[in-house]
Amino acid sequence: MSLSRRTLLQALGLAPGGLFLPSLARAGTSPAKRIVFVVSSHGTVYDNWRMRTGGLPDDADFEIDLTTLADTEFSPILQPLAPFASKLLVLDGIGNGCGLVAAFNEHEEGHASALTGRIPLPVDGSLGAPDGPSIDQVIAASRSTPFPSLEYSCGGWSVNFDDLGQALPYEGDVVAAWQRLFPGGAPTSEPTIADRVLARQGSMLDLVQQRHDALAQRLSGEDRAKLEQHAQLVRDLEGRLAALAELQCEAIEEPDDPYPEYLWGDAGYPGYVVGIFHQLMAAALSCGLTDVITLRIDHINNSTIGAPAGDLHNDYAHQASSDPVAGQIMTDYHTWNAERLAELLGLLDGIPEGSGTMLDNTVVVWTNELATGEHAFPDIPVVIAGGSDFFDLGRYVRWAPTAAVDGPWSDPMIGPPHNQLLTTLGNAMGLGLSHFGVTELPSPDGSTIDCTGMLDRVCV
Amino acid sequence: MWIALLVWGCSGGDTPGEGPPGGTTPVTTPSADGPSPLRRLTSSQYRNTMRDLFLGVDLPELSLPIDGEVHGFDNHHEVQVPSALLIEQYQQAALAVTAAAMDQPDGWLPCDPAVDAGACGAQTVTEVGRRIFRRPLTSDEQQVYTALFDEVLTDDGEFSVAIQVTLQALLNSPEFLYFPELGAQPVGGDRVPLSDHELASRMSYFLWDTMPDEQLLSAADAGLLADPVEVEAQAWRMLDDPRAADALASFHRQWLDLDEIARVSPDPATFPEWDPAMADSMRAELDGHILGVLQGPDPTLSALLLDPTTSVDPWLAPIYDVADGTTELPTAERAGLLTRAGWLAATSHPVNPSPVQRGVFVLEHLMCVELQPPPPDINTELQESQGDAVTNRERYAQHSADARCAGCHDAIDPIGFGFENYDAIGRYRTTDNGAPVDATGSFLHGDLLGGEFDGAVQMSQLLADSQLVRDCVALQWYRYAHGRSETEGDLPEVDRVQQAFSDTGGDVRQLMVEVVRGELFRTRRAM
């Protein structure tokens, strides 16, 4: 029995912020490519997110070399990312045409389309859903890590969907998330009863999987499919536990339970939870537990960003462009998210790997369910960091809008459809996709917008 | 009697074919005759069942996923899809539960392993296995689980290790996690009676939110549940059992969105007296109200909506402006569910109450009127200062002025305005921002059409007297009991249950028994 080990990292003299070591077992092996999706809410405040250095126009394509800018030349929302300028690729002008075409609640549409590139469908009595998987799950299916993917959440609906378009559940409890990654306790010379029970999980799950297969045979249709899927997931778990038992991995310290210092409504709660998730993510990636992680961040208390009382969504997000006070509050909201991203990038960039850092071999994508607080879909805010062998980093890339999408209420102009972003991300992870999600979108003049292929101007 | 679900298009002045789709959402699936899709334990059912399986054991906190919802209910088969996280949490939960169970085996382990470990393993598979599967194991099942036990016992030598692993296999099996309904025997026709044990499970998870007890299992063992008279007798017995409180709590928690109370977060500047402990007291008061009514002498929908009986603690006393320990709220200001602080606070913004949230809640949850979301190109935010608007109500005048809003808000807002006597933490008020409160309003739907009221006490009375509301509540219970949305094939049965609910004056316990008595509850569709 050699499940992962807990170590007291303070004993190693590590300063806060550099909380763990890369897996010793993986040192010297060729770096794997990994991808992290950070998906936040309420779009952005575009005027405070975009960069127009020297008065660059909205209606032309252009690029900005981020490495030559002073921190203060970054837009207010992106400024926390300035220390990572050389490893960033900011993408301005991509539109979520799938969300534009659908005709129900835009928050539901945004969640169902952001990572799927599919036109979401309303579901009677429940949340809207896509008719296929999100890109992270397609990437996950190509990996052989113990966890095909991890989905963490500090509030918000799921943006991750399986092949059938079913939303994946999120882990929102940092303690449970830690226990899942590091199920072993401190190593002991004599295996305890608990160790010996753990060692038998393989045989136990083997029987469980057979029982699901057997019952599935007696059912039909969706019921049968449900149990067959369950059986497959039990098989996967069995394999994962076996793989975990082989891994030598340095665990981070178990998080406090149940958050003695922070409660859900406290100002510091979201930052605490997201911070723990960041550490778990960096540990899981460095240990090779998974190559694909999604972190959903939605819940922020008003006090977290020093905002006055009010419903963040209804009172501020919906007014972000039209009301200066609301615009500043939502700018603070998105800046807070950028600060969190900077924290994650710092962790990944602090782990040496090969001749660089883990960030160089990890694609971190920060995107959003919407483009603005008013539920728009053109110009969704996208920041990529890392993945230096694939992306031409250190740049801000702007695409001017070129085509109108035939929407149910209006026909906004967009730049590249976000399907091309998803295809690009899949290919950054070696999938070799020609397209992802829909292949075309309707224009009001009866023509179609081509959604196939990758983004131009982003690769090395 | 059957009043079809009302779907309320909200596209205002849109003409058909031009506007967004909406207003015609089908709420029934054609040509289905009351299907019985495979369902599994909800998170609360899983926890309750562990409690009842391992009596006397201090169980650890179990981390289980939060299931999605359909029509507000998390026991709907469509959201019960397996995921990697779910499967892993089941495995982890079984590990934690069996370890705790072996620390305190006296209340549940049927034998002494010190006498004969091998025999005790087999006996545990038989006896505890029957309670885990909610039916006796077949001889094949007995054999495979006992074989696992024997294998581990031989290898490891320790009874505790072998029995934990064996119990984990049982607890991760589909017969435990799901409700397989294969039917009593193949018969002709469209429907097949459930086996006695399958029916016992349906009954206990509906009426108790947990597993059958020994009495119900024994009745199933003896084949008594094929008789509808016995089924009804068992249902009444179960409703008189303390475990019925779990089911009543589960239904109302979901139907009334009671978890929202924990997320109430009033503006500290406006409500300096607010303390998070108040939310706990508010929730406890509502839970107590619901159980007090439904386990009391008048377990009716009317009493839920009208009965002012309460139990005021020190946190609630200042909100209700009554003395600590008060047991009946002042009837000029308060009635039942919709006038209690918890519900009122949960449907408020941090500073002001939300007539829209309150109106939508009444329409959707009590009247079964389905509303469409606002058109996306409308800024739904109300301006702080709007002309001469002084009161919260006046701020919402914009809704009826804009034709695109009026389509829905002409129905929503006049209901929501009826609650304007209560501020964002549920305190009674007669003035708002210095001006007198106007809490008059009216209804636009069903037999409530044209009904006018001044304040939520009068409104509650109209709702309590409404056939539309009784039918809606019966439909909500029907969905919950079956764990699925109604289909066309259910409509005669829904109609029958609604009629019975009405005939008994809205008696909720009668309604629950009526659902259980129904043919569609006791049978499944032939495969």
Side-chain angles (χ1 to χ4, degrees):
Chain A
M1 189 68 197
S2 60
L3 280 181
S4 50
R5 311 273 188 261
R6 290 174 62 180
T7 53
L8 291 177
L9 294 154
Q10 283 83 348
L12 300 173
L14 289 180
L19 282 172
F20 53 88
L21 291 169
S23 161
L24 298 177
R26 288 172 66 89
T29 59
S30 20
K33 287 194 173 175
R34 317 167 189 90
I35 191 161
V36 172
F37 297 85
V38 179
V39 183
S40 49
S41 290
H42 302 305
T44 191
V45 179
Y46 186 59
D47 285 348
N48 290 335
W49 180 87
R50 66 176 182 172
M51 289 163 60
R52 294 291 183 270
T53 315
L56 288 162
D58 276 342
D59 58 358
D61 292 357
F62 61 80
E63 295 172 21
I64 302 171
D65 181 354
L66 295 174
T67 62
T68 63
L69 300 184
D71 288 7
T72 51
E73 291 178 277
F74 277 70
S75 67
I77 290 172
L78 295 177
Q79 214 170 93
L81 301 174
F84 302 96
S86 67
K87 301 195 175 188
L88 294 181
L89 185 60
V90 182
L91 306 180
D92 176 5
I94 296 170
N96 179 349
C98 300
L100 277 172
V101 170
F104 55 108
N105 177 301
E106 287 93 6
H107 283 288
E108 295 181 39
E109 292 168 15
H111 284 81
S113 60
L115 298 187
T116 67
R118 290 165 184 268
I119 296 172
L121 305 165
V123 175
D124 183 29
S126 195
L127 295 175
D131 60 354
S134 48
I135 186 69
D136 53 288
Q137 290 306 296
V138 178
I139 296 168
S142 73
R143 322 306 279 187
S144 54
T145 49
F147 295 92
S149 65
L150 293 170
E151 289 78 33
Y152 292 147
S153 167
C154 182
W157 297 332
S158 182
V159 293
N160 309 100
F161 297 88
D162 68 12
D163 285 351
L164 301 173
Q166 304 275 6
L168 296 181
Y170 281 137
E171 183 62 81
D173 175 341
V174 292
V175 177
W178 181 90
Q179 287 167 346
R180 194 171 176 222
L181 290 186
F182 306 111
T188 49
S189 52
E190 189 64 28
T192 62
I193 295 271
D195 290 336
R196 285 144 66 190
V197 171
L198 272 177
R200 298 281 169 182
Q201 293 301 289
S203 337
M204 188 277 285
L205 290 171
D206 208 35
L207 173 55
V208 166
Q209 172 239 307
Q210 290 169 26
R211 302 297 306 168
H212 278 82
D213 279 338
L215 184 58
Q217 299 302 310
R218 303 180 65 191
L219 302 173
S220 59
E222 283 181 22
D223 295 350
R224 180 175 182 152
K226 210 180 245 188
L227 283 192
E228 284 174 346
Q229 189 180 349
H230 194 127
Q232 180 59 47
L233 290 165
V234 171
R235 258 190 295 279
D236 293 348
L237 174 59
E238 202 181 330
R240 183 153 72 240
L241 291 176
L244 282 171
E246 296 300 313
L247 265 179
Q248 300 293 315
C249 186
E250 306 290 347
I252 65 168
E253 243 192 303
E254 182 170 6
D256 286 336
D257 181 23
Y259 320 130
E261 292 173 50
Y262 297 109
L263 292 168
W264 189 84
D266 284 355
Y269 176 86
Y272 171 78
V273 167
V274 170
I276 298 287
F277 277 136
H278 284 163
Q279 292 177 34
L280 288 170
M281 291 161 72
L285 293 171
S286 72
C287 290
L289 297 176
T290 191
D291 289 341
V292 184
I293 303 180
T294 299
L295 173 63
R296 180 84 181 83
I297 307 177
D298 178 271
H299 171 68
I300 296 178
N301 295 305
N302 289 36
S303 53
T304 304
I305 50 171
D311 181 87
L312 202 69
H313 175 203
N314 287 304
D315 293 346
Y316 301 133
H318 286 170
Q319 302 248 76
S321 307
S322 57
D323 176 88
V325 174
Q328 186 55 51
I329 289 166
M330 292 313 293
T331 297
D332 293 343
Y333 176 97
H334 298 302
T335 306
W336 184 91
N337 274 283
E339 288 164 356
R340 302 283 78 67
L341 182 67
E343 176 184 279
L344 175 63
L345 298 183
L347 282 176
L348 299 182
D349 210 27
I351 301 173
E353 185 175 67
S355 58
T357 74
M358 209 169 79
L359 179 60
D360 299 328
N361 302 308
T362 304
V363 177
V364 179
V365 194
W366 180 29
T367 185
N368 205 294
E369 47 145 356
L370 295 167
T372 69
E374 289 90 347
H375 300 189
F377 285 115
D379 297 324
I380 52 173
V382 179
V383 175
I384 289 173
S388 57
D389 287 343
F390 189 86
F391 289 110
D392 186 5
L393 300 172
R395 299 181 311 138
Y396 182 105
V397 179
R398 163 70 183 173
W399 293 270
T402 53
V405 179
D406 188 9
W409 293 284
S410 59
D411 305 324
M413 301 281 289
I414 63 168
H418 87 304
N419 301 83
Q420 296 184 341
L421 168 67
L422 301 177
T423 303
T424 305
L425 294 172
N427 291 347
M429 294 297 292
L431 292 188
L433 301 173
S434 62
H435 66 277
F436 192 76
V438 299
T439 55
E440 59 181 32
L441 287 164
S443 263
D445 63 5
S447 66
T448 56
I449 300 170
D450 181 13
C451 300
T452 65
M454 302 209 305
L455 292 171
D456 61 349
R457 303 159 58 204
V458 298
C459 297
V460 288
Chain B
M1 164 67 62
W2 162 252
I3 298 178
L5 270 181
L6 301 161
V7 178
W8 192 254
C10 293
S11 42
D14 288 315
T15 50
E18 287 180 13
T24 53
T25 312
V27 293
T28 57
T29 308
S31 76
D33 62 338
S36 31
L38 182 66
R39 293 190 288 140
R40 64 164 161 77
L41 297 169
T42 65
S43 294
S44 72
Q45 289 169 349
Y46 188 96
R47 291 189 177 95
N48 291 344
T49 304
M50 289 299 186
R51 173 200 67 199
D52 293 342
L53 276 173
F54 299 104
L55 290 172
V57 175
D58 297 318
L59 291 175
E61 187 104 354
L62 302 178
S63 179
L64 295 168
I66 296 167
D67 290 321
E69 293 174 356
V70 177
H71 292 302
F73 296 119
D74 68 6
N75 67 349
H76 196 287
H77 70 99
E78 282 179 12
V79 294
Q80 297 184 327
V81 287
S83 64
L85 181 63
L86 175 79
I87 281 18
E88 195 162 327
Q89 288 181 332
Y90 281 152
Q91 180 243 350
Q92 291 290 322
L95 271 170
V97 165
T98 54
M102 283 312 292
D103 286 342
Q104 295 169 292
D106 295 349
W108 64 273
L109 190 65
C111 42
D112 181 358
V115 175
D116 182 341
C120 187
Q123 187 181 346
T124 304
V125 169
T126 306
E127 296 184 18
V128 182
R130 167 173 170 274
R131 300 176 64 234
I132 292 175
F133 278 19
R134 305 177 284 269
R135 61 164 172 77
L137 271 59
T138 64
S139 56
D140 279 357
E141 289 163 349
Q142 176 75 37
Q143 191 269 325
V144 295
Y145 291 101
T146 307
L148 176 65
F149 173 85
D150 291 343
E151 176 196 316
V152 179
L153 185 66
T154 305
D155 281 2
D156 188 283
E158 172 69 45
F159 174 83
S160 177
V161 173
I163 203 66
Q164 285 186 56
V165 171
T166 305
L167 289 170
Q168 287 157 14
L170 287 160
L171 293 171
N172 282 288
S173 69
E175 288 82 2
F176 173 70
L177 297 173
Y178 290 88
F179 302 112
E181 292 175 343
L182 302 166
Q185 66 229 327
V187 293
D190 293 338
R191 304 211 53 94
V192 179
L194 296 179
S195 76
D196 279 57
H197 293 96
E198 290 162 1
L199 179 56
S201 286
R202 266 203 195 185
M203 292 170 70
S204 71
Y205 283 96
F206 171 48
L207 298 172
W208 280 350
D209 213 37
T210 190
M211 60 181 282
D213 66 351
E214 188 50 43
Q215 204 172 331
L216 186 60
L217 273 183
S218 298
D221 288 349
L224 299 178
L225 298 182
D227 178 0
V229 175
E230 174 69 14
V231 169
E232 184 171 349
Q234 286 284 351
W236 280 115
R237 174 185 75 83
M238 294 169 74
L239 280 177
D240 286 335
D241 185 280
R243 277 167 284 199
D246 288 336
L248 292 170
S250 172
F251 172 82
H252 288 89
R253 176 180 67 78
Q254 300 181 65
W255 173 45
L256 299 172
D257 241 348
L258 297 181
D259 289 341
E260 279 300 307
I261 298 172
R263 291 190 267 275
V264 168
S265 180
D267 171 34
T270 313
F271 301 101
E273 60 276 76
W274 175 258
D275 188 297
M278 286 178 172
D280 297 337
S281 285
M282 289 175 172
R283 173 67 187 267
E285 191 219 3
L286 272 177
D287 286 343
H289 173 68
I290 290 161
L291 288 183
V293 167
L294 296 182
Q295 297 192 319
D298 182 27
T300 61
L301 175 61
S302 293
L304 278 178
L305 289 166
L306 300 176
D307 189 343
T309 307
T310 184
S311 170
V312 170
D313 70 8
W315 289 114
L316 292 176
I319 288 178
Y320 287 128
D321 194 20
V322 296
D324 177 20
T326 298
T327 56
E328 184 169 322
L329 294 170
T331 52
E333 298 175 4
R334 308 279 174 174
L337 281 179
L338 301 179
T339 60
R340 300 307 175 93
W343 184 79
L344 293 162
T347 51
S348 291
H349 295 306
V351 175
N352 287 309
S354 171
V356 172
Q357 284 185 40
R358 291 169 173 182
V360 166
F361 188 102
V362 170
L363 282 163
E364 290 190 338
H365 295 241
L366 274 80
M367 297 165 66
C368 292
V369 174
E370 294 205 353
L371 300 160
Q372 301 293 312
D377 53 344
I378 286 184
N379 181 349
T380 56
E381 178 52 22
L382 293 170
Q383 305 298 325
E384 259 318 306
S385 57
Q386 291 181 37
D388 301 329
V390 173
T391 64
N392 194 39
R393 177 173 187 147
E394 285 163 351
R395 294 169 68 228
Y396 285 83
Q398 178 184 330
H399 279 156
S400 46
D402 186 329
R404 293 176 303 170
C405 305
C408 277
H409 283 279
D410 281 356
I412 297 169
D413 296 4
I415 298 175
F417 292 150
F419 299 100
E420 277 299 289
N421 278 125
Y422 310 97
D423 68 13
I425 61 170
R427 291 181 306 197
Y428 193 80
R429 63 182 185 180
T430 53
T431 61
D432 175 17
N433 206 15
V437 163
D438 175 1
T440 59
S442 59
F443 289 107
L444 281 186
H445 290 93
D447 62 349
L448 287 165
L449 174 66
E452 295 182 350
F453 47 83
D454 184 353
V457 174
Q458 286 182 21
M459 186 205 305
S460 293
Q461 185 68 54
L462 291 178
L463 292 168
D465 293 341
S466 163
Q467 189 64 45
L468 177 72
V469 173
R470 272 194 297 276
D471 286 351
C472 175
V473 173
L475 176 64
Q476 304 278 18
W477 272 106
Y478 188 86
R479 288 170 174 166
Y480 175 76
H482 285 264
R484 58 179 174 80
S485 303
E486 67 281 8
T487 66
E488 273 186 16
D490 289 296
L491 298 191
E493 173 65 3
V494 172
D495 189 28
R496 186 187 69 78
V497 169
Q498 288 173 325
Q499 180 72 56
F501 189 45
S502 187
D503 290 347
T504 58
D507 185 315
V508 174
R509 288 158 51 91
Q510 291 270 6
L511 168 66
M512 294 170 76
V513 173
E514 210 55 53
V515 170
V516 171
R517 283 184 62 230
E519 195 205 334
L520 293 188
F521 192 87
R522 294 180 292 108
T523 61
R524 67 161 175 82
R525 187 159 59 182
M527 282 185 209

